[in-house]
Every structure is written in C-alpha cells, then in structure tokens.
Amino acid sequence: MGRRSSHTAGELRELILEASTALISEGGLASLSAREVARRIGYSPGTLYNVFENLDDLVLTIEGRLIDGLAEELDKVPMTTSPTEQARALGRAYLKYTSEKPKLWNLLFEHHLPAGRSPPAWYQQKIDGLMQRVEAVVAPLMPESDPADVARSAQVLWAGVHGITSLATADKLSVVKCDGAGPLVDLLVEAYLAGLKSAKQG
Amino acid sequence: MGRRSSHTAGELRELILEASTALISEGGLASLSAREVARRIGYSPGTLYNVFENLDDLVLTIEGRLIDGLAEELDKVPMTTSPTEQARALGRAYLKYTSEKPKLWNLLFEHHLPAGRSPPAWYQQKIDGLMQRVEAVVAPLMPESDPADVARSAQVLWAGVHGITSLATADKLSVVKCDGAGPLVDLLVEAYLAGLKSAKQG
DNA sequence: ACCTGAACACCGTTCAAGT
DNA sequence: ACCTGAACACCGTTCAAGT
C-alpha cells in the first residue's frame, strides 16, 4: 500500500513503545509479540522492523525508560534529613516504583540478550547512575572508609533492597507478602547501616 | 508407530527432564521448547504431553528439583559454629549453588504461570522449607524477640542474599561483579546481623 | 520513502489414527 | 497402552513488490 503518513516517524515509534509497554504491563515479557503490537497500532508486522532493529532493541529501549523513571523518583527524595533517613527513603522509593508496575520492572530480569550480545553502553551508564545515587547517601555514613568500601557497601544495600522487592513482587517465591515489604525494607536499611557503623567503630 | 517400549514410563520422564534441564542450563528458559526436547530424545512432540500436562508442568517439576538441591546444600552447612558464622555459611552456600548453574536457578524468576494459575501446594512448601532453615539460624541471635520478628528478620536476610546473587548473575544489571559476590554476601550477613543485635540491645 | 503481506522457519498443544 | 504426525493457531524476521 505504500506510505501512510498518518504518523510521523517519531509518532510511530511512540505508538509502538506504548503498545509494547501496555502488553508487558499486563502479562509480562511473554505477552509481547511483534505481531500483536502491529495489530494494536494498525500496521503490518514488517513496519516494526523499519523502526527497531528487532524485538530485543525495542525491549532495551523500554528498559532504558524504566531506569530513567526510577532515577527521577530517586531524585525526588529530599536530601535534607539524616543519611539513614535518606537511605530509608531511597529504599521506599525503589519499592514504590517497582511495585506499582511489577511486570514492567520485572522486564529487566526476564529479558536476556542472545548468547554473545551485550547491552549497549548507555544501558550500563544508566545503571551506574542509579548506583551513584545510592553511594552519595552511604558515603557520609562511612567518613573513614575509602571509596571502594563505600561502593561495596552501597552495592550491598542496593542489592538487598532489590532482593526484598524482587521476592515481594514474584508470583511464586512469596517468602514476603507484598503489603509487608515496606517494613522489611526499613528493617534492612536500619539494621544494615547500624551494623556498618558499629563495625567501623569497633 | 505405536508403543516403543524401549523406555519405561519413568525412564521417559527422566529423559525429558534431563534434556529440558540441559537446554535451560545452556540458554535459559527461552531455549526450552517441547519440539526441541522431543528431537533430542528421539520422540515425537506429542509424547511429552503423555508425560506432562504441558510445558509449565514440566518446568515446575524442574524448579522443584532445584529447590530440593539447594535445601540439600544448606543442610550440609555445619551447625556447630556461632550463629553468625552459620548465617555466613548459609549465604555462601546459596551463592555457590545458584552461581554454579545461574541460568537454571534463574528459571525460578523467569518462569511465570499463566494469569490465573497459582503454583501447586508442594511448591510453596518447598519454599517454606528453605525459609525455616534460615529462621533456625537467626532465632538464636534474637532470643528476646517473638517468632514473628524472627521470621521477618530471616526473610530480610534471605532476600538480601538473594538480591546479591541475583544481581551478580544477571547479565545486564552487573552492579556486582560475579567474582566479588562472596565478600558482599559476607558483608551483608555480618553488618545486618550486627545491626539487628545492637537494635535489640538499644 | 514508506509500508505491505507473503514467505520461511519456527513455536505449543491436540487428537484421530496407527501398532 | 503407547506413540505418531498432521493439524491448528500462533511466533520473529525478511524482503520483493507496491504506492
């Protein structure tokens, strides 16, 4: 049929991303299919491949937006309180963001590139950006420690919060009830940071 | 062709599970397909459906074996040392088990039942069994606390270790280098438990 | 330049038909 | 009783052909 021109290239791209995001939000990565996206936006399957290299490319783009969205939420956390309070707020923000659209966030863990391929450089940069936000909060709590120790402590804190939210939103590993995850995040942040302090003093 | 009888029902079941496990170990859940399993064991696709209800049923069976395998490893941890040392050993055992076959362990998080369906009762029981092992180690550290607090503390510890191993074996979220995960688990266990103690005393 | 739709090589699952 | 293989309804991706 040839050019349709009812949408600009940018609009078409947005249409595809919106439809894909909606599908994943409802049923996870397994519900995403190029043909279903094409159906929903009224184009043929081939059109997706004019805009994205393939489904992996499309999914990576969505993942990038998810990470950006979390970074924005973390930036809203006020930095005027005590470091421990900041860390708790950071953890709560992570929990809130990821449990509001759990299937979408789960995309970061469900989706794997084919064997040899590694994620693009911008992807790792976005992840690093998240980590830096955590380090900035942990650093004041460890004034005597070198940067490598601060980085490790931040990684552990981050991973711990991730672990709680991951198990809370998992449908099969419900060692944690989703409603009760908030207090668990608080407990982790408080006990872990208290332990860090006492170790440094002792 | 009719009956082949070169394998008993039990042998056939084992053949299917072995081929499936091999496929997942190599390329994750995405690499599993009923047709490929059938090809590898020299049967037709339909045969799988005489043995398992469907692929979800097959995958749940594999997941059950993975959980059992982890439980066995945890049971090898000596219970003669201090509770903190036991907890560290438990965390290390989890890390070792899950990072030896990361794609296989990832199955528990990649695989989702269809919308309405929930996992069988035995599944949750196996998960509970794991949690009880952690609680048994945490309980002596919190002699003054009621069982609910012990349970929550154990959940947080478990989730934290899971978070570290999860990020260490993830191919895209490498906030944690896989080699360096051991010390991070130690750090989490030690700091968190130290923090728990000081909170109880304070 | 942009989009289509047929084509190719795959899927999961069912079930009548064969031995 | 057990197994097959064709059938159905799907996939991702490509690309010659159309406007």
Side-chain angles (χ1 to χ4, degrees):
Chain A
M1 272 187 220
R3 148 143 50 190
R4 182 183 298 218
S5 86
S6 47
H7 298 105
T8 67
E11 283 170 345
L12 183 53
R13 189 181 164 87
E14 228 40 55
L15 276 175
I16 294 170
L17 287 169
E18 278 168 26
S20 304
T21 302
L23 280 167
I24 296 166
S25 300
E26 291 161 23
L29 178 58
S31 300
L32 178 70
S33 95
R35 297 177 110 105
E36 178 62 22
V37 170
R39 251 173 249 129
R40 290 203 177 191
I41 65 173
Y43 280 81
S44 80
T47 295
L48 296 218
Y49 294 84
N50 296 331
V51 181
F52 294 97
E53 207 180 313
N54 50 37
L55 273 192
D56 284 325
D57 182 22
L58 197 171
V59 168
L60 278 173
T61 304
I62 295 177
E63 290 182 65
R65 294 189 173 193
L66 287 172
I67 299 171
D68 288 343
L70 175 57
E72 276 179 37
E73 290 303 314
L74 296 188
D75 284 340
K76 287 185 194 162
V77 170
M79 289 295 156
T80 52
T81 56
S82 75
T84 303
E85 179 52 41
Q86 289 172 34
R88 186 167 33 209
L90 234 44
R92 286 285 194 156
Y94 185 113
L95 176 63
K96 182 163 183 287
Y97 184 78
T98 60
S99 57
E100 267 168 3
K101 17 189 176 177
K103 308 228 175 177
L104 213 42
W105 182 251
N106 226 295
L107 191 60
L108 301 227
F109 305 96
E110 280 185 55
H111 177 240
H112 304 285
L113 274 335
R117 289 204 36 180
S118 48
W122 58 257
Y123 191 97
Q124 187 59 45
Q125 280 165 20
K126 284 180 196 293
I127 299 289
D128 290 345
L130 291 179
M131 276 312 297
Q132 279 159 23
R133 287 167 168 87
V134 182
E135 283 178 31
V137 168
V138 171
L141 288 161
M142 309 174 64
E144 312 280 303
S145 303
D146 52 294
D149 271 349
V150 171
R152 294 199 323 164
S153 299
Q155 283 170 21
V156 168
L157 183 60
W158 171 269
V161 173
H162 158 66
I164 293 173
T165 64
S166 163
L167 293 186
T169 59
D171 40 15
K172 285 180 307 187
L173 252 62
S174 42
V175 301
V176 165
K177 286 135 242 146
C178 194
D179 297 340
L184 297 187
V185 168
D186 293 346
L187 178 59
L188 172 72
V189 172
E190 279 160 29
Y192 173 68
L193 293 183
L196 272 189
K197 267 192 219 169
S198 71
K200 287 298 145 189
Q201 284 161 5
Chain B
M1 273 188 219
R3 146 141 53 189
R4 182 183 299 217
S5 86
S6 47
H7 298 107
T8 68
E11 283 169 345
L12 183 52
R13 187 181 167 87
E14 227 41 56
L15 276 176
I16 293 170
L17 287 170
E18 277 167 27
S20 304
T21 302
L23 280 168
I24 296 166
S25 300
E26 291 162 22
L29 178 58
S31 300
L32 177 70
S33 94
R35 296 176 111 107
E36 178 62 23
V37 170
R39 251 173 249 129
R40 292 201 176 191
I41 65 173
Y43 281 81
S44 80
T47 296
L48 297 219
Y49 295 83
N50 296 332
V51 180
F52 295 97
E53 206 181 315
N54 48 38
L55 273 192
D56 284 325
D57 181 24
L58 196 171
V59 168
L60 278 173
T61 304
I62 295 176
E63 291 181 63
R65 293 189 172 193
L66 287 172
I67 299 171
D68 289 343
L70 175 56
E72 275 178 39
E73 290 303 314
L74 296 187
D75 284 339
K76 287 183 192 163
V77 170
M79 290 294 157
T80 50
T81 56
S82 74
T84 303
E85 180 51 41
Q86 289 173 32
R88 186 167 32 211
L90 233 46
R92 286 285 195 157
Y94 184 113
L95 176 63
K96 182 163 182 288
Y97 184 78
T98 60
S99 56
E100 268 168 3
K101 18 189 177 175
K103 308 228 175 181
L104 213 44
W105 182 252
N106 224 295
L107 191 60
L108 301 229
F109 305 97
E110 281 185 53
H111 177 240
H112 305 284
L113 275 334
R117 289 203 37 181
S118 48
W122 59 255
Y123 192 97
Q124 186 60 45
Q125 281 165 20
K126 285 180 194 294
I127 298 290
D128 290 346
L130 291 179
M131 277 312 298
Q132 280 158 23
R133 286 167 168 86
V134 182
E135 282 178 32
V137 168
V138 172
L141 288 162
M142 309 173 65
E144 311 280 302
S145 303
D146 52 294
D149 270 348
V150 172
R152 294 200 320 164
S153 299
Q155 283 169 22
V156 168
L157 184 61
W158 171 268
V161 173
H162 157 67
I164 292 172
T165 64
S166 163
L167 293 186
T169 59
D171 40 14
K172 285 180 307 184
L173 253 62
S174 42
V175 301
V176 166
K177 286 135 242 147
C178 194
D179 296 341
L184 296 188
V185 168
D186 294 346
L187 179 59
L188 172 72
V189 172
E190 279 160 30
Y192 174 69
L193 293 183
L196 272 188
K197 266 192 218 169
S198 70
K200 287 299 144 189
Q201 284 161 4

mmCIF file with all atom_site columns, all heavy atoms in Angstrom, chain A residues 115-126:
data_model
loop_
_atom_site.group_PDB
_atom_site.id
_atom_site.type_symbol
_atom_site.label_atom_id
_atom_site.label_alt_id
_atom_site.label_comp_id
_atom_site.label_asym_id
_atom_site.label_entity_id
_atom_site.label_seq_id
_atom_site.pdbx_PDB_ins_code
_atom_site.Cartn_x
_atom_site.Cartn_y
_atom_site.Cartn_z
_atom_site.occupancy
_atom_site.B_iso_or_equiv
_atom_site.pdbx_formal_charge
_atom_site.auth_seq_id
_atom_site.auth_comp_id
_atom_site.auth_asym_id
_atom_site.auth_atom_id
_atom_site.pdbx_PDB_model_num
ATOM 1  N N   . ALA A 1 115 ? 22.925 -15.063 23.177 1.00 0.00 ? 115 ALA A N   1
ATOM 2  C CA  . ALA A 1 115 ? 24.186 -15.524 23.761 1.00 0.00 ? 115 ALA A CA  1
ATOM 3  C C   . ALA A 1 115 ? 25.332 -14.516 23.731 1.00 0.00 ? 115 ALA A C   1
ATOM 4  O O   . ALA A 1 115 ? 25.791 -14.067 24.770 1.00 0.00 ? 115 ALA A O   1
ATOM 5  C CB  . ALA A 1 115 ? 24.618 -16.826 23.107 1.00 0.00 ? 115 ALA A CB  1
ATOM 6  N N   . GLY A 1 116 ? 25.818 -14.167 22.572 1.00 0.00 ? 116 GLY A N   1
ATOM 7  C CA  . GLY A 1 116 ? 27.024 -13.353 22.525 1.00 0.00 ? 116 GLY A CA  1
ATOM 8  C C   . GLY A 1 116 ? 26.811 -11.885 22.866 1.00 0.00 ? 116 GLY A C   1
ATOM 9  O O   . GLY A 1 116 ? 27.697 -11.229 23.402 1.00 0.00 ? 116 GLY A O   1
ATOM 10 N N   . ARG A 1 117 ? 25.620 -11.346 22.581 1.00 0.00 ? 117 ARG A N   1
ATOM 11 C CA  . ARG A 1 117 ? 25.396 -9.903  22.648 1.00 0.00 ? 117 ARG A CA  1
ATOM 12 C C   . ARG A 1 117 ? 25.392 -9.341  24.064 1.00 0.00 ? 117 ARG A C   1
ATOM 13 O O   . ARG A 1 117 ? 24.853 -9.927  24.983 1.00 0.00 ? 117 ARG A O   1
ATOM 14 C CB  . ARG A 1 117 ? 24.069 -9.566  21.977 1.00 0.00 ? 117 ARG A CB  1
ATOM 15 C CG  . ARG A 1 117 ? 24.094 -9.731  20.456 1.00 0.00 ? 117 ARG A CG  1
ATOM 16 C CD  . ARG A 1 117 ? 23.019 -8.860  19.848 1.00 0.00 ? 117 ARG A CD  1
ATOM 17 N NE  . ARG A 1 117 ? 22.873 -7.600  20.596 1.00 0.00 ? 117 ARG A NE  1
ATOM 18 C CZ  . ARG A 1 117 ? 22.012 -6.648  20.306 1.00 0.00 ? 117 ARG A CZ  1
ATOM 19 N NH1 . ARG A 1 117 ? 21.189 -6.817  19.308 1.00 0.00 ? 117 ARG A NH1 1
ATOM 20 N NH2 . ARG A 1 117 ? 21.953 -5.552  21.027 1.00 0.00 ? 117 ARG A NH2 1
ATOM 21 N N   . SER A 1 118 ? 26.023 -8.187  24.215 1.00 0.00 ? 118 SER A N   1
ATOM 22 C CA  . SER A 1 118 ? 25.988 -7.494  25.498 1.00 0.00 ? 118 SER A CA  1
ATOM 23 C C   . SER A 1 118 ? 25.204 -6.190  25.330 1.00 0.00 ? 118 SER A C   1
ATOM 24 O O   . SER A 1 118 ? 25.070 -5.689  24.213 1.00 0.00 ? 118 SER A O   1
ATOM 25 C CB  . SER A 1 118 ? 27.409 -7.223  25.981 1.00 0.00 ? 118 SER A CB  1
ATOM 26 O OG  . SER A 1 118 ? 28.184 -6.660  24.953 1.00 0.00 ? 118 SER A OG  1
ATOM 27 N N   . PRO A 1 119 ? 24.681 -5.659  26.425 1.00 0.00 ? 119 PRO A N   1
ATOM 28 C CA  . PRO A 1 119 ? 23.844 -4.457  26.330 1.00 0.00 ? 119 PRO A CA  1
ATOM 29 C C   . PRO A 1 119 ? 24.659 -3.264  25.844 1.00 0.00 ? 119 PRO A C   1
ATOM 30 O O   . PRO A 1 119 ? 25.883 -3.229  26.000 1.00 0.00 ? 119 PRO A O   1
ATOM 31 C CB  . PRO A 1 119 ? 23.367 -4.256  27.772 1.00 0.00 ? 119 PRO A CB  1
ATOM 32 C CG  . PRO A 1 119 ? 24.317 -5.020  28.611 1.00 0.00 ? 119 PRO A CG  1
ATOM 33 C CD  . PRO A 1 119 ? 24.799 -6.151  27.795 1.00 0.00 ? 119 PRO A CD  1
ATOM 34 N N   . PRO A 1 120 ? 23.994 -2.273  25.257 1.00 0.00 ? 120 PRO A N   1
ATOM 35 C CA  . PRO A 1 120 ? 24.703 -1.085  24.764 1.00 0.00 ? 120 PRO A CA  1
ATOM 36 C C   . PRO A 1 120 ? 25.322 -0.296  25.908 1.00 0.00 ? 120 PRO A C   1
ATOM 37 O O   . PRO A 1 120 ? 24.934 -0.449  27.071 1.00 0.00 ? 120 PRO A O   1
ATOM 38 C CB  . PRO A 1 120 ? 23.613 -0.282  24.067 1.00 0.00 ? 120 PRO A CB  1
ATOM 39 C CG  . PRO A 1 120 ? 22.325 -0.791  24.617 1.00 0.00 ? 120 PRO A CG  1
ATOM 40 C CD  . PRO A 1 120 ? 22.557 -2.215  24.984 1.00 0.00 ? 120 PRO A CD  1
ATOM 41 N N   . ALA A 1 121 ? 26.271 0.542   25.573 1.00 0.00 ? 121 ALA A N   1
ATOM 42 C CA  . ALA A 1 121 ? 26.994 1.297   26.602 1.00 0.00 ? 121 ALA A CA  1
ATOM 43 C C   . ALA A 1 121 ? 26.054 2.174   27.427 1.00 0.00 ? 121 ALA A C   1
ATOM 44 O O   . ALA A 1 121 ? 26.202 2.275   28.643 1.00 0.00 ? 121 ALA A O   1
ATOM 45 C CB  . ALA A 1 121 ? 28.081 2.144   25.955 1.00 0.00 ? 121 ALA A CB  1
ATOM 46 N N   . TRP A 1 122 ? 25.077 2.802   26.779 1.00 0.00 ? 122 TRP A N   1
ATOM 47 C CA  . TRP A 1 122 ? 24.180 3.702   27.521 1.00 0.00 ? 122 TRP A CA  1
ATOM 48 C C   . TRP A 1 122 ? 23.428 2.946   28.608 1.00 0.00 ? 122 TRP A C   1
ATOM 49 O O   . TRP A 1 122 ? 23.025 3.528   29.622 1.00 0.00 ? 122 TRP A O   1
ATOM 50 C CB  . TRP A 1 122 ? 23.215 4.436   26.584 1.00 0.00 ? 122 TRP A CB  1
ATOM 51 C CG  . TRP A 1 122 ? 22.328 3.571   25.718 1.00 0.00 ? 122 TRP A CG  1
ATOM 52 C CD1 . TRP A 1 122 ? 22.477 3.300   24.397 1.00 0.00 ? 122 TRP A CD1 1
ATOM 53 C CD2 . TRP A 1 122 ? 21.127 2.881   26.130 1.00 0.00 ? 122 TRP A CD2 1
ATOM 54 N NE1 . TRP A 1 122 ? 21.462 2.482   23.942 1.00 0.00 ? 122 TRP A NE1 1
ATOM 55 C CE2 . TRP A 1 122 ? 20.616 2.213   24.972 1.00 0.00 ? 122 TRP A CE2 1
ATOM 56 C CE3 . TRP A 1 122 ? 20.433 2.756   27.323 1.00 0.00 ? 122 TRP A CE3 1
ATOM 57 C CZ2 . TRP A 1 122 ? 19.455 1.444   25.009 1.00 0.00 ? 122 TRP A CZ2 1
ATOM 58 C CZ3 . TRP A 1 122 ? 19.274 1.981   27.360 1.00 0.00 ? 122 TRP A CZ3 1
ATOM 59 C CH2 . TRP A 1 122 ? 18.796 1.327   26.209 1.00 0.00 ? 122 TRP A CH2 1
ATOM 60 N N   . TYR A 1 123 ? 23.238 1.656   28.391 1.00 0.00 ? 123 TYR A N   1
ATOM 61 C CA  . TYR A 1 123 ? 22.493 0.879   29.389 1.00 0.00 ? 123 TYR A CA  1
ATOM 62 C C   . TYR A 1 123 ? 23.269 0.814   30.703 1.00 0.00 ? 123 TYR A C   1
ATOM 63 O O   . TYR A 1 123 ? 22.750 1.129   31.781 1.00 0.00 ? 123 TYR A O   1
ATOM 64 C CB  . TYR A 1 123 ? 22.245 -0.521  28.837 1.00 0.00 ? 123 TYR A CB  1
ATOM 65 C CG  . TYR A 1 123 ? 21.263 -1.336  29.652 1.00 0.00 ? 123 TYR A CG  1
ATOM 66 C CD1 . TYR A 1 123 ? 19.936 -1.414  29.277 1.00 0.00 ? 123 TYR A CD1 1
ATOM 67 C CD2 . TYR A 1 123 ? 21.679 -2.025  30.795 1.00 0.00 ? 123 TYR A CD2 1
ATOM 68 C CE1 . TYR A 1 123 ? 19.028 -2.153  30.013 1.00 0.00 ? 123 TYR A CE1 1
ATOM 69 C CE2 . TYR A 1 123 ? 20.783 -2.755  31.534 1.00 0.00 ? 123 TYR A CE2 1
ATOM 70 C CZ  . TYR A 1 123 ? 19.464 -2.824  31.136 1.00 0.00 ? 123 TYR A CZ  1
ATOM 71 O OH  . TYR A 1 123 ? 18.586 -3.553  31.893 1.00 0.00 ? 123 TYR A OH  1
ATOM 72 N N   . GLN A 1 124 ? 24.533 0.404   30.585 1.00 0.00 ? 124 GLN A N   1
ATOM 73 C CA  . GLN A 1 124 ? 25.365 0.315   31.789 1.00 0.00 ? 124 GLN A CA  1
ATOM 74 C C   . GLN A 1 124 ? 25.513 1.690   32.450 1.00 0.00 ? 124 GLN A C   1
ATOM 75 O O   . GLN A 1 124 ? 25.566 1.793   33.685 1.00 0.00 ? 124 GLN A O   1
ATOM 76 C CB  . GLN A 1 124 ? 26.736 -0.254  31.426 1.00 0.00 ? 124 GLN A CB  1
ATOM 77 C CG  . GLN A 1 124 ? 27.641 -0.544  32.620 1.00 0.00 ? 124 GLN A CG  1
ATOM 78 C CD  . GLN A 1 124 ? 27.020 -1.551  33.589 1.00 0.00 ? 124 GLN A CD  1
ATOM 79 O OE1 . GLN A 1 124 ? 26.478 -2.568  33.163 1.00 0.00 ? 124 GLN A OE1 1
ATOM 80 N NE2 . GLN A 1 124 ? 27.070 -1.253  34.886 1.00 0.00 ? 124 GLN A NE2 1
ATOM 81 N N   . GLN A 1 125 ? 25.554 2.736   31.643 1.00 0.00 ? 125 GLN A N   1
ATOM 82 C CA  . GLN A 1 125 ? 25.677 4.088   32.209 1.00 0.00 ? 125 GLN A CA  1
ATOM 83 C C   . GLN A 1 125 ? 24.462 4.454   33.055 1.00 0.00 ? 125 GLN A C   1
ATOM 84 O O   . GLN A 1 125 ? 24.588 5.069   34.119 1.00 0.00 ? 125 GLN A O   1
ATOM 85 C CB  . GLN A 1 125 ? 25.850 5.119   31.085 1.00 0.00 ? 125 GLN A CB  1
ATOM 86 C CG  . GLN A 1 125 ? 27.278 5.180   30.546 1.00 0.00 ? 125 GLN A CG  1
ATOM 87 C CD  . GLN A 1 125 ? 27.363 5.919   29.216 1.00 0.00 ? 125 GLN A CD  1
ATOM 88 O OE1 . GLN A 1 125 ? 26.474 6.693   28.867 1.00 0.00 ? 125 GLN A OE1 1
ATOM 89 N NE2 . GLN A 1 125 ? 28.424 5.663   28.470 1.00 0.00 ? 125 GLN A NE2 1
ATOM 90 N N   . LYS A 1 126 ? 23.304 4.070   32.580 1.00 0.00 ? 126 LYS A N   1
ATOM 91 C CA  . LYS A 1 126 ? 22.086 4.367   33.353 1.00 0.00 ? 126 LYS A CA  1
ATOM 92 C C   . LYS A 1 126 ? 22.110 3.628   34.691 1.00 0.00 ? 126 LYS A C   1
ATOM 93 O O   . LYS A 1 126 ? 21.726 4.163   35.734 1.00 0.00 ? 126 LYS A O   1
ATOM 94 C CB  . LYS A 1 126 ? 20.847 3.971   32.547 1.00 0.00 ? 126 LYS A CB  1
ATOM 95 C CG  . LYS A 1 126 ? 20.492 4.945   31.429 1.00 0.00 ? 126 LYS A CG  1
ATOM 96 C CD  . LYS A 1 126 ? 19.236 4.446   30.699 1.00 0.00 ? 126 LYS A CD  1
ATOM 97 C CE  . LYS A 1 126 ? 19.044 5.139   29.347 1.00 0.00 ? 126 LYS A CE  1
ATOM 98 N NZ  . LYS A 1 126 ? 18.729 6.565   29.453 1.00 0.00 ? 126 LYS A NZ  1
#
